[in-house]
Amino acid sequence: MSDVPPSHRSKRSHRRRRRPWLRGAIAITAAVVLLVVGVVVGVWARLTGNVKHVDVTADDLGTARPAKVAGTALNILVVGSDQRDGANAKYGRVAGERTDTIMLVHVSSRRDHAMVVSFPRDSLVQLPACRATGDLPGQRPHLGMINESFNSGGIGCTWKTIEALTRIHIDHFVKVDFSGFKSLVDAVGGVEVCLPEPVRDKKALLHLPAGRQTLNGEQALGYVRARYSMGDGSDIGRIQRQQMFIASMVKKVMSGETLADPARLFAVLDAGTRAVTTDRGLTPSVMRDLALSLRGLDAGRIRFITTPWHYSVTQPGRVEWVQPQADSLFRVVARDQSVEGVKGGQAKVARSKVQVELRNGTWRSGLAREVAASLEQRGYHIAKIGDTARKPQARTTILYGPNGETRVPTLARDLVTAAPRHVPAAETNRLVLVIGDDWKGVKPLRVDDHEAIKGFDATHDSCAA
């Protein structure tokens, strides 16, 4: 007979009956954990395998590189490639590969702000020597267009060129081609833009109505590539449009709409890693750590800036950088300072948030396009260029509606003479500058006017500009 009391035998028996359930729960939990780990490992392996890498060596960059001032700040060179073979041949078969877009992304050491600096591809600059590599001949030192470097020596030469011109230490590069860009836009579910006028551009394969709308990948590529059918037809106007598009896409990626949706987030990560070619140091692990460190960054703390410029007087169609404003911008980036700290005149509404339609009311051919170039140099967005219905117009006038009144002082401050006139029926924020026979030009840019390097933030809405 057992010495164990009946009550104890009953409790032990009860525990034995419970153990199969406990063992089953542990087994299920272990299986779920292993499944999750397996999925994570599989996802990570896929993302890692997606990224293509190109070596950029010390021999490519030379020995006279600028010093890295801030240890944890990051400067990433971003180029858009317009290589047109394979899937990209439908955009016009052209041999070789060029940089359609050149930008520098600066992420502050404290991860509390970021800047995206665009370099106009028509910039006339002093190019450094680059060594020959692969099938590329290399680059001799000379005065030329900034995007020549990629054709001459590849991404390593472009990297060296930007460092030589700006004295900013670059840490990594990212190259995106046409197909990758389209895939990324589709992965985020499209990107919203606002068009002041309908677009019909055969060259960019783009046909869009006016107004606010969400573009898919194919439409988005045409939108950022289009030049002659939109605005004033200049490369600067295209840069402004690219900046606003990227700002809109950044807002979408950083929104709960993307981050809170695991399926969409994976699609964005998958498309993003497949879309890019990077240096070997910019691994998915580095990208992940950077993304995690930026989770608390407000979209409004991302500034989009075009290097201050003016049209070249020696080579028509080319642009030159305005000094000392350009070097002032580069020092801000190199020293990891906030662009908000740059002192200078501040208009009631920033120039970058003012859209202007130009109407030539004189018989001077090409005057509206000249004025458009002058205003673009200050950071204004040129929405449209045309002629008045009747000529000549005696006085230069700024036409504005109820929603555009606060923008009038900004534009008027930059013109030698212009008379504001309220148009009650106008429902847009856009200002209409009618150029009359009394046109006396745009006021000279002051040396201490740093507003042109302030750019605009990622909360910028082109429909409300």
Side-chain angles (χ1 to χ4, degrees):
M1 178 178 285
S2 171
D3 294 330
V4 179
S7 62
H8 288 194
R9 287 200 301 273
S10 175
K11 291 179 181 177
R12 188 162 55 188
S13 174
H14 182 64
R15 284 196 299 269
R16 280 198 298 268
R17 287 196 301 271
R18 288 193 306 174
R19 280 173 185 161
W21 291 101
L22 180 61
R23 288 195 295 270
I26 292 173
I28 292 172
T29 302
V32 170
V33 170
L34 289 174
L35 178 61
V36 171
V37 170
V39 170
V40 170
V41 170
V43 167
W44 190 248
R46 175 167 173 170
L47 297 180
T48 301
N50 283 345
V51 182
K52 301 176 287 295
H53 295 292
V54 169
D55 289 317
V56 177
T57 68
D59 290 336
D60 293 318
L61 302 179
T63 59
R65 298 187 63 194
K68 186 171 177 63
V69 177
T72 58
L74 281 178
N75 296 310
I76 302 173
L77 176 65
V78 179
V79 300
S81 165
D82 72 346
Q83 188 170 11
R84 302 188 193 182
D85 55 7
N88 297 327
K90 66 179 181 179
Y91 303 109
R93 189 176 294 276
V94 179
E97 186 175 13
R98 288 146 300 280
T99 48
D100 199 48
T101 303
I102 306 175
M103 299 184 296
L104 184 70
V105 178
H106 171 77
V107 182
S108 71
S109 56
R110 297 177 62 180
R111 304 301 189 254
D112 59 350
H113 73 271
M115 284 184 277
V116 181
V117 180
S118 294
F119 303 97
R121 70 174 190 173
D122 293 337
S123 296
L124 196 61
V125 295
Q126 190 63 47
L127 302 171
C130 293
R131 71 187 188 114
T133 176
D135 297 330
L136 300 175
Q139 179 173 272
R140 60 177 179 79
H142 71 287
L143 184 69
M145 282 178 60
I146 196 169
N147 66 348
E148 288 182 31
S149 294
F150 196 87
N151 303 339
S152 300
I155 188 63
C157 187
T158 300
W159 184 329
K160 182 178 182 180
T161 295
I162 299 300
E163 284 196 339
L165 293 171
T166 66
R167 303 310 300 164
I168 298 171
H169 181 95
I170 295 173
D171 301 289
H172 301 289
F173 88 85
V174 172
K175 184 184 76 171
V176 185
D177 67 9
F178 287 173
S179 298
F181 176 81
K182 291 191 298 183
S183 299
L184 188 55
V185 172
D186 286 334
V188 302
V191 175
E192 185 178 85
V193 301
C194 186
L195 301 179
E197 306 288 341
V199 178
R200 299 288 183 269
D201 192 316
K202 293 182 180 180
K203 190 172 183 180
L205 307 180
L206 187 65
H207 302 278
L208 296 171
R212 191 185 293 271
Q213 56 204 285
T214 298
L215 305 186
N216 62 28
E218 187 71 39
Q219 294 168 324
L221 179 62
Y223 176 78
V224 299
R225 290 183 63 234
R227 176 171 179 174
Y228 301 106
S229 62
M230 301 180 72
D232 67 343
S234 71
D235 186 51
I236 302 300
R238 177 165 58 178
I239 287 175
Q240 293 173 335
R241 192 165 61 253
Q242 290 171 349
Q243 290 174 337
M244 286 191 288
F245 183 88
I246 294 171
S248 185
M249 186 158 66
V250 165
K251 284 195 293 183
K252 184 119 183 227
V253 171
M254 295 176 69
S255 71
E257 182 181 352
T258 299
L259 298 179
D261 184 339
R264 176 167 288 183
L265 182 58
F266 172 74
V268 171
L269 292 173
D270 187 41
T273 49
R274 281 189 287 107
V276 300
T277 300
T278 76
D279 59 286
R280 294 197 181 276
L282 189 55
T283 63
S285 295
V286 174
M287 295 180 196
R288 177 201 61 197
D289 293 343
L290 177 60
L292 290 175
S293 70
L294 292 174
R295 282 182 300 181
L297 178 64
D298 183 81
R301 297 290 294 167
I302 304 174
R303 312 296 296 186
F304 291 80
I305 306 164
T306 302
T307 302
W309 63 277
H310 61 74
Y311 278 114
S312 172
V313 295
T314 58
Q315 296 195 28
R318 303 290 182 250
V319 304
E320 297 169 349
W321 296 348
V322 175
Q323 299 297 355
Q325 284 87 350
D327 282 345
S328 177
L329 169 63
F330 302 150
R331 282 194 298 271
V332 166
V333 176
R335 297 172 183 174
D336 191 29
Q337 299 171 339
S338 171
V339 74
E340 302 300 336
V342 178
K343 299 185 182 299
Q346 183 68 34
K348 290 183 178 181
V349 176
R351 292 166 177 150
S352 63
K353 293 188 176 183
V354 180
Q355 288 194 6
V356 182
E357 177 181 338
L358 291 170
R359 297 178 186 171
N360 188 357
T362 76
W363 294 112
R364 292 169 56 185
S365 177
L367 179 58
R369 195 163 296 279
E370 293 177 15
V371 176
S374 298
L375 293 179
E376 279 184 329
Q377 291 171 18
R378 309 296 175 95
Y380 292 97
H381 291 267
I382 306 303
K384 188 178 180 181
I385 292 179
D387 291 288
T388 57
R390 293 192 303 173
K391 294 186 179 184
Q393 297 288 324
R395 300 186 65 189
T396 298
T397 309
I398 301 174
L399 306 180
Y400 66 94
N403 296 329
E405 185 174 4
T406 59
R407 290 157 169 76
V408 173
T410 301
L411 180 58
R413 188 187 69 157
D414 279 326
L415 307 180
V416 175
T417 181
R421 192 174 86 209
H422 183 231
V423 182
E427 297 179 357
T428 178
N429 292 333
R430 185 193 307 175
L431 303 181
V432 178
L433 177 59
V434 177
I435 307 170
D437 281 338
D438 67 341
W439 173 253
K440 293 182 173 60
V442 176
K443 293 178 182 176
L445 189 67
R446 302 189 312 272
V447 172
D448 63 344
D449 186 351
H450 292 284
E451 188 186 337
I453 75 169
K454 289 184 180 294
F456 63 91
D457 61 46
T459 60
H460 183 78
D461 186 342
S462 60
C463 275

